[in-house]
Amino acid sequence: MTSTLPWMLYAILRNPVTAVALPLIFGTLSGLGTRKTVRSEWYQSLRPPLGRPPRQVFRVIWPVLYVFMGHASHIAVQAFDEAKTVNIRSSLSFALALYYLQFVMNCLWSPVYFGAKKIGWALVVSVALLGINVYMTGVLHHLTDGKTSVFLVPYCAWLTFATYLNGASWFLNT
C-alpha cells in the first residue's frame, strides 16, 4: 500500500462515526476558551468588522461544518480504499494528508485569536487554512467525482467569510 499517512489516520476516517466525531470533538475543544474571551474587556474593546454576525451564529455553523468536514474525509478514504491505480491512491493519500494539515490549522485558529489574542497571527493561520482547503477541495473533487465537494464547498465559503472577518478585525484594531 502506497501511503503518506500512518495507517491509524486512515482507520479513523474509515469509520463514519469516528470520521465525524474527530472534528466535532477537537473543534469543540479548540474553541473552549472562546466564550470567556468574547465576554472579556479585550474582545469587547475591539472594533467589529462590518457584517460580523451575532456570536450565536458561530455556535450553529461550526458544528455543521465539522460534520461536513468529517463526512467528506470519510468519502475520501473510501475512494482511497477503492482506488484502482497507485497514482490515484497516491493522490488521495496526499489529499488526506492535506485534510489532516488543515484540521490541525483549524484547531489552532481559536487559541491563537482568542487565547493568545494575536489577531495578525490568526489571520496568517486563516489565510493558510483557506488556501489549503480550496486546493484540497479541488483535488478531492476530481478524485471523488464531486462527492466531497458538496460538503467542502460550504466549508470553503465559510472560511472565506471568516478570513474576511479576521482580516477586517486586524485592520480595524491595529
Side-chain angles (χ1 to χ4, degrees):
M1 170 160 88
T2 303
S3 137
T4 59
L5 294 172
W7 70 269
M8 183 62 164
L9 295 179
Y10 292 100
I12 291 168
L13 304 181
R14 280 190 180 98
N15 182 316
V17 173
T18 56
V20 169
L22 181 72
L24 273 172
I25 291 167
F26 283 96
T28 300
L29 289 174
S30 76
L32 282 179
T34 302
R35 180 178 290 157
K36 182 179 177 185
T37 303
V38 297
R39 294 183 178 147
S40 73
E41 185 179 323
W42 171 78
Y43 187 78
Q44 294 298 320
S45 71
L46 294 175
R47 293 179 58 203
L50 185 64
R52 184 179 75 187
R55 64 177 189 235
Q56 295 81 358
V57 170
F58 297 93
R59 289 186 216 152
V60 174
I61 294 291
W62 276 112
V64 170
L65 293 175
Y66 288 140
V67 168
F68 282 10
M69 180 193 315
H71 187 65
S73 71
H74 177 66
I75 292 169
V77 86
Q78 284 181 313
F80 174 86
D81 290 341
E82 296 167 3
K84 304 282 189 240
T85 69
V86 172
N87 286 342
I88 292 173
R89 281 179 80 92
S90 179
S91 295
L92 282 160
S93 184
F94 174 70
L96 288 164
L98 288 175
Y99 170 78
Y100 277 108
L101 174 62
Q102 72 79 30
F103 178 66
V104 168
M105 293 181 75
N106 181 297
C107 289
L108 284 174
W109 186 88
S110 285
V112 172
Y113 188 99
F114 293 108
K117 300 176 177 97
K118 301 292 185 187
I119 300 173
W121 283 111
L123 180 57
V124 171
V125 172
S126 190
V127 168
L129 177 61
L130 175 59
I132 290 167
N133 271 284
V134 168
Y135 181 67
M136 176 189 73
T137 299
V139 170
L140 285 173
H141 176 80
H142 297 291
L143 295 168
T144 64
D145 296 324
K147 293 175 191 166
T148 54
S149 296
V150 172
F151 301 99
L152 294 175
V153 167
Y155 180 41
C156 289
W158 182 259
L159 287 175
T160 301
F161 180 61
T163 301
Y164 152 73
L165 291 174
N166 190 161
S169 180
W170 174 77
F171 178 78
L172 293 169
N173 294 286
T174 54

